[in-house]
């Protein structure tokens, strides 16, 4: 399925869950999303991630609403299940999307495709760059993690500043390839191996959010 269809489906489920704000509906969305992820991936990775994210949130709901709330467990349970439903829908869609397919599906909007591609790659690129900076400090026998008054200044000098500098230089180095590829030029883009898309999916991407909004407003 086209990545945009997954995104629109997840967004539509968010509209329904937040619009109705009912325990049974939130639980149903969570179960359906987890079943879809289980069938697609044939593992419990999405479920495990959802549980890991939901435990601290649910505990915070309990701490906030049980001692000071009016509905005791009811409010905490409703908010926790709603969060689980939202995360289940988001993670299921994310597990079905690759960065390459997402960017190619936006090839008719090159600037948007570049912004989206850069945004979703920022975290892994930052993690890799941080690993390189730490390894360089290790080779130079610098240890920013020192329990002293100079620990923070060393962290800024040997970790934060090199990390920011390298990320900025990587962004600047992409300017020439983007200019060569004709990002600023107008006209239709063609992809050698386009992402599969059908007329039905295009129609559904319009109908799903409209139907979700209509149901929430009507009911």
């Amino acid at each position: 399925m086209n990545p945009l269809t997954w995104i629109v489906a997840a967004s539509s489920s968010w509209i329904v869950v937040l619009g109705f704000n009912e325990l049974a509906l939130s639980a149903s969305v969570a179960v359906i999303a987890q079943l879809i992820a289980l069938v697609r991936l044939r593992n419990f990775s999405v479920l495990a991630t959802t549980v890991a994210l939901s435990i601290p949130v649910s505990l915070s709901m309990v701490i906030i609403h049980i001692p000071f709330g009016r509905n005791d467990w009811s409010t905490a349970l409703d908010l926790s299940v709603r969060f689980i439903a939202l995360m289940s829908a988001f993670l299921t869609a994310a597990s079905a999307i690759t960065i390459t397919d997402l960017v190619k599906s936006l090839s008719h909007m090159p600037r948007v495709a570049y912004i989206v591609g850069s945004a979703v790659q920022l975290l892994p690129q930052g993690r890799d760059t941080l690993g390189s900076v730490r390894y360089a400090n290790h080779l130079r026998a610098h240890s920013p993690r020192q329990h002293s008054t100079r620990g923070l200044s060393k962290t800024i000098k040997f970790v934060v500043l090199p990390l920011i500098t390298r990320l900025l230089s990587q962004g600047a180095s992409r300017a020439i390839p983007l200019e060569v590829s004709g990002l600023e030029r107008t006209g239709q883009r063609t992809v050698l191996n386009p992402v599969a898309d059908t007329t039905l999916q295009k129609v559904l991407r319009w109908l799903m959010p409209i139907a979700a909004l209509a149901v929430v407003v009507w009911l």
Side-chain angles (χ1 to χ4, degrees):
M1 192 161 66
N2 191 281
L4 298 179
T5 306
W6 284 106
I7 294 174
V8 172
S11 302
S12 300
S13 66
W14 276 47
I15 293 173
V16 173
V17 170
L18 295 174
F20 281 94
N21 194 25
E22 294 184 1
L23 178 62
L25 180 61
S26 298
S28 300
V29 171
V31 171
I32 292 172
Q34 292 296 335
L35 288 176
I36 293 173
L38 180 60
V39 172
R40 283 197 68 262
L41 302 176
R42 297 181 181 179
N43 59 49
F44 295 95
S45 58
V46 172
L47 178 60
T49 305
T50 304
V51 172
L53 293 174
S54 300
I55 288 177
V57 174
S58 299
L59 289 176
S60 66
M61 298 298 179
V62 171
I63 294 173
I64 293 172
H65 293 282
I66 297 303
F68 308 107
R70 296 180 179 180
N71 298 324
D72 297 335
W73 289 95
S74 177
T75 302
L77 180 62
D78 288 343
L79 294 176
S80 299
V81 174
R82 184 176 67 181
F83 179 81
I84 292 172
L86 297 177
M87 288 299 98
S88 297
F90 170 76
L91 293 173
T92 298
S95 67
I97 296 173
T98 63
I99 297 176
T100 303
D101 288 344
L102 178 59
V103 174
K104 287 198 297 183
S105 64
L106 296 171
S107 59
H108 60 287
M109 298 182 291
R111 295 184 181 181
V112 176
Y114 171 71
I115 293 173
V116 171
S118 300
V120 297
Q121 293 183 77
L122 180 60
L123 183 59
Q125 287 177 352
R127 183 175 59 249
D128 295 339
T129 303
L130 180 59
S132 300
V133 171
R134 286 179 173 174
Y135 184 66
N137 284 318
H138 175 71
L139 294 178
R140 298 175 62 186
H142 284 150
S143 179
R145 296 180 179 180
Q146 292 182 354
H147 300 285
S148 64
T149 55
R150 298 182 59 189
L152 179 59
S153 62
K154 284 189 174 183
T155 300
I156 295 175
K157 180 179 180 180
F158 295 115
V159 177
V160 177
L161 292 180
L163 177 63
I164 295 175
T165 302
R166 186 163 181 180
L167 288 175
L168 291 176
S169 64
Q170 287 176 352
S173 65
R174 288 193 288 265
I176 295 178
L178 288 173
E179 184 177 355
V180 173
S181 62
L183 181 67
E184 297 296 330
R185 296 181 180 180
T186 59
Q188 185 178 2
R189 264 64 177 180
T190 59
V191 180
L192 183 61
N193 187 20
V195 181
D197 199 7
T198 62
T199 303
L200 177 61
Q201 291 190 57
K202 293 177 181 178
V203 173
L204 285 176
R205 287 200 291 268
W206 284 99
L207 290 181
M208 283 190 290
I210 294 175
L213 288 171
V215 170
V216 171
V217 173
W218 181 263
L219 299 179

